[in-house]
Amino acid sequence: TGYITIDEGFKNTGSTTSGITYLDGEEGILHYRGYPIEELAEKAEFLEVAYLLIYGELPTKEQYEVFKHEVTTRSLVNEDMRKIFDGFPVNAHPMGVMSSLVGAMSSFYPDNDKKHKGDFTEVHIRRLLAKIPTIATWCYKKSQGHPINYPKNHLDYCSNFLHMMFALPVENYEVDPIVSSALNKLLILHADHEQNCSTSTVRLVGSSKANIYASISAGISALWGPLHGGANQEVIEMLEAIKEDGGDVAKYIAMAKDKNSTFRLMGFGHRVYKNFDPRAKIIKKAADDVLAKLGVNDPVLEIAKGLEEAALKDEYFVSRKLYPNVDFYSGIIYRALGIPTNMFTVMFAIGRLPGWIAQWLELRKSGQAIGRPRQIYTGPTKKHYVDIDQR
Ligand code: CMC
């Protein structure tokens, strides 16, 4: 009841108060629980940042050791989940598989699990952090026709992921520290971003008191879209298309500006950042560093730089304050690390997971009412039923 205002796309509507992530779009500032993203990306480990987001403060050494142990020792996924997984077609998109299997986890780990005394949520949080990377690597292994790798508990979070992705039973696999540290940085940069589409989805689903697996499964689905996390896959596909097409950057800039075309420059623009995306700044530098260290010469990096340079000089992009976002250069790094294009959005999901968990917990603890937006009705006024043979 009362006066309803419409704010399509929630461009100017706050849905909650939150103490997790601070974002200033004009100044390009991003803090997790008060800590600048630049410092965390440079110095922290991903699980340390996960702890920070979820519990509000950086862990002490003892707290961190316990937390890491509790996550690491849950990385095996119930073998019966494999049966569900085996039913997916070989070319299934990993985001669809991920969203389904995370939803399925609610049936494997229901709240009446009497084995774990105390706070069940704590156990579920650790399970999600532990098992989602394992499931992601199943998708890759299946696409290759290779056997899956079971997790190795002596490895750190990123190295274990790389081991499960790339180790083959026929040869020794050593995790390259350059690769695992680049992955660590990317995951940290994606870890939270206040009330974006997928996080708002997690909170909205959670507000109905749906369980954490169901809420996060919904968040994964929201992230999949090309205007959100799916953009990182689209960026590389766009850069490759430009390369195949002879590298004519100007042609694609013109297409992006053409209002009769549906083409957008993927990886450009952001709802909140209007001067630059601080994550993109770090990732651009990291892309240069990682490619140089790994000795990779990727022609799409040059295309990306050419595209950025041309767009930043163009009145259309300048006047609309469209800058490269986090997804513009991240795919180039993922490629250099050997991660296939259709897994990029899954990498984003692994990174965003602690943010979703932290936001879900904050919502639940706040006791906020169920999310239930209103509308302004624009359909027909009252009509009367007409028998079918008289229509
Ligand atoms: N290429 C060409 N034009 C664009 C682009 C783009 N990438 N982004 C925005 N515009 C134009 C848009 O057409 C509109 O022009 P006009 O005022 O003439 O109608 C103006 O800029 C404002 O755009 P909007 O769509 O109203 O802005 P929004 O805040 O609703 O959308 C966005 C933000 C990120 C969805 C959009 O910029 C976009 O589609 N970008 C490409 C997809 C992308 O890179 N998404 C990843 C976002 S960052 C990570 C994440 O959230 O997952």
Side-chain angles (χ1 to χ4, degrees), residues 11 227-229 259 264-265 267-268 271 316 320 325 327:
K11 293 200 175 191
L227 296 187
H228 192 10
K259 291 290 169 197
R264 283 193 164 196
L265 213 52
F268 255 76
R271 173 63 62 78
Y316 175 96
R320 287 172 179 76
N325 60 49
D327 291 326

Side-chain angles (χ1 to χ4, degrees), residues 11 196 223 226-229 231 256-257 259 263-271 274 277 279 316-317 320 322 325-327 348:
K11 293 200 175 191
N196 58 84
L223 186 72
L227 296 187
H228 192 10
K257 290 159 54 172
K259 291 290 169 197
F263 177 77
R264 283 193 164 196
L265 213 52
M266 298 312 287
F268 255 76
H270 197 274
R271 173 63 62 78
K274 296 300 174 199
D277 178 338
R279 304 166 301 170
Y316 175 96
F317 293 90
R320 287 172 179 76
L322 302 170
N325 60 49
V326 68
D327 291 326
F348 192 152

Side-chain angles (χ1 to χ4, degrees), residues 322-371:
L322 302 170
Y323 296 86
N325 60 49
V326 68
D327 291 326
F328 195 65
Y329 286 102
S330 65
I332 292 172
I333 307 185
Y334 286 134
R335 243 156 87 105
L337 306 188
I339 292 167
T341 313
N342 74 346
M343 292 270 301
F344 290 177
T345 315
V346 171
M347 302 311 297
F348 192 152
I350 296 174
R352 183 56 52 89
L353 181 59
W356 288 333
I357 294 171
Q359 300 270 354
W360 186 92
L361 266 184
E362 184 179 62
L363 168 100
R364 277 304 179 83
K365 287 183 177 162
S366 73
Q368 203 173 313
I370 185 169

